Every structure is written in C-alpha cells, then in structure tokens.
Amino acid sequence: MLGNFNGHNPLWGSSDTNPRGRQIETLIEDHGLCILNDNTYTHFHQASHTFHTVDLAICSPSLAPFWKFSTSTNLFNSDHFPVVLTHIKNDPIFPKRPVKYIFRKADWPLFESLCQLTPDMVDKNSIDIAVNTITDCIITSADFSIPKTSGNIPKLCKPWWNTECDTCQKNT
C-alpha cells in the first residue's frame, strides 16, 4: 500500500502522534505489516513551513527486503515529495524449518551395526574429547540409517477447500 495516509506517528518519522497515526499503527501491528519509510519527510506544509511524514509505503514482511524507500528532493509544484520505491534484486530467501530425523522410518539394525561404542572411546584424558567422540559416532550412524525431513515449509493448505470441492473436481 502506498499513499497519503495523513497520519502522524514516530514509527515513520513524525514528531507526534495523531488519532489517524494510532489507527495506522494498529492496522500495521494487527496484520503484521512493515513500513518501508526511512524517516525522511514526505510533505511540506506551506502555511507553517514545516515538514511532515504522511505518505507511507506499507507491505508484507516477505516483500520488505526487496524494496528501498526514498523521496525526490524536488516537490514538482506539489506539497508532497515524490516517493520513490527502488526494487532491490536480492536472491529470494525461502524460510526453512529445522531438519529432523524421521525415527519411524529408521533402519535400526543398520544404526546398531554402525554405532559401535567401545570402551576406548571413553578412555581419554579429557571428558570433552570422550563426549565428542561418542556424539560424533551416534550422529554419523544416525545420518546413514535414519532419513531426515527436508526442512522445506510445506505448501499451505487452502482453508476454503473442503470435501464438496473434491467431489466437484472429480466430476469435471
């Protein structure tokens, strides 16, 4: 969303807060949105010769890293500075979940054959070395014998899709 919101709030560089600014702040917080503004002024009030920030650029968190906010220094016969959004060509960052072992699909006989813990593993001068040696053995064995999740975020389900939709899709 981009426009003249006529709201004042320190979140986007105003020195005070007005009721409209509080409404916009609530909207942003309630919907998890991001303000792209960088605290530069967007409006020149000619009567009082003061600068304000009333033009806002608001977007979702997934879009925020791809845009840089700035304003032109020329008013072009207006009382608002033109807002300039510049697209930043970042490689997309896809969120990941922690990779986890899928224990129900483990090959336990393989794990047992690979994970041969011996007394000489703990017969060390340092407890830290002994712990690291045993931990490495267990993790290496698990990596070979227990599959893991991909870490990818699963596709979101469509909350509006139901069994009636399935029936209609099969009939077409």
Side-chain angles (χ1 to χ4, degrees):
M1 296 183 286
L2 176 68
N4 178 359
F5 285 79
N6 283 326
H8 298 269
N9 193 305
L11 283 176
W12 49 85
S14 299
S15 58
D16 62 334
T17 303
N18 67 0
R20 175 75 55 88
R22 280 190 283 281
Q23 287 176 328
I24 297 164
E25 179 181 357
T26 300
L27 172 84
I28 290 167
E29 287 177 358
D30 288 351
H31 296 283
L33 300 172
C34 295
I35 301 171
L36 295 175
N37 291 56
D38 62 359
N39 293 334
T40 57
Y41 297 117
T42 62
H43 178 258
F44 176 66
H45 189 259
Q46 293 177 357
S48 64
H49 293 299
T50 57
F51 294 93
H52 303 276
T53 303
V54 293
D55 301 302
L56 302 176
I58 302 171
C59 69
S60 68
S62 62
L63 293 177
F66 299 101
W67 295 98
K68 180 185 180 303
F69 180 94
S70 63
T71 57
S72 174
T73 56
N74 190 336
L75 284 169
F76 297 102
N77 294 322
S78 173
D79 57 347
H80 291 264
F81 294 97
V83 170
V84 179
L85 291 177
T86 307
H87 185 257
I88 301 169
K89 293 188 179 191
N90 288 342
D91 290 330
I93 299 168
F94 298 104
K96 292 277 192 182
R97 293 190 308 184
V99 173
K100 295 181 179 179
Y101 289 107
I102 307 170
F103 292 111
R104 69 186 183 318
K105 294 185 177 182
D107 182 345
W108 293 114
L110 177 61
F111 176 81
E112 189 177 355
S113 70
L114 294 173
C115 189
Q116 296 295 318
L117 301 178
T118 59
D120 66 305
M121 291 176 154
V122 293
D123 192 22
K124 309 284 183 193
N125 291 336
S126 165
I127 187 71
D128 292 332
I129 293 173
V131 167
N132 287 338
T133 303
I134 291 173
T135 302
D136 289 344
C137 179
I138 293 170
I139 291 174
T140 301
S141 301
D143 286 342
F144 281 106
S145 60
I146 306 171
K148 296 180 193 172
T149 61
S150 69
N152 294 332
I153 303 269
K155 279 185 158 181
L156 296 175
C157 67
K158 297 169 182 73
W160 47 266
W161 194 268
N162 58 27
T163 54
E164 188 177 330
C165 295
D166 277 336
T167 304
C168 289
Q169 184 183 24
K170 289 176 186 174
N171 293 335
T172 56

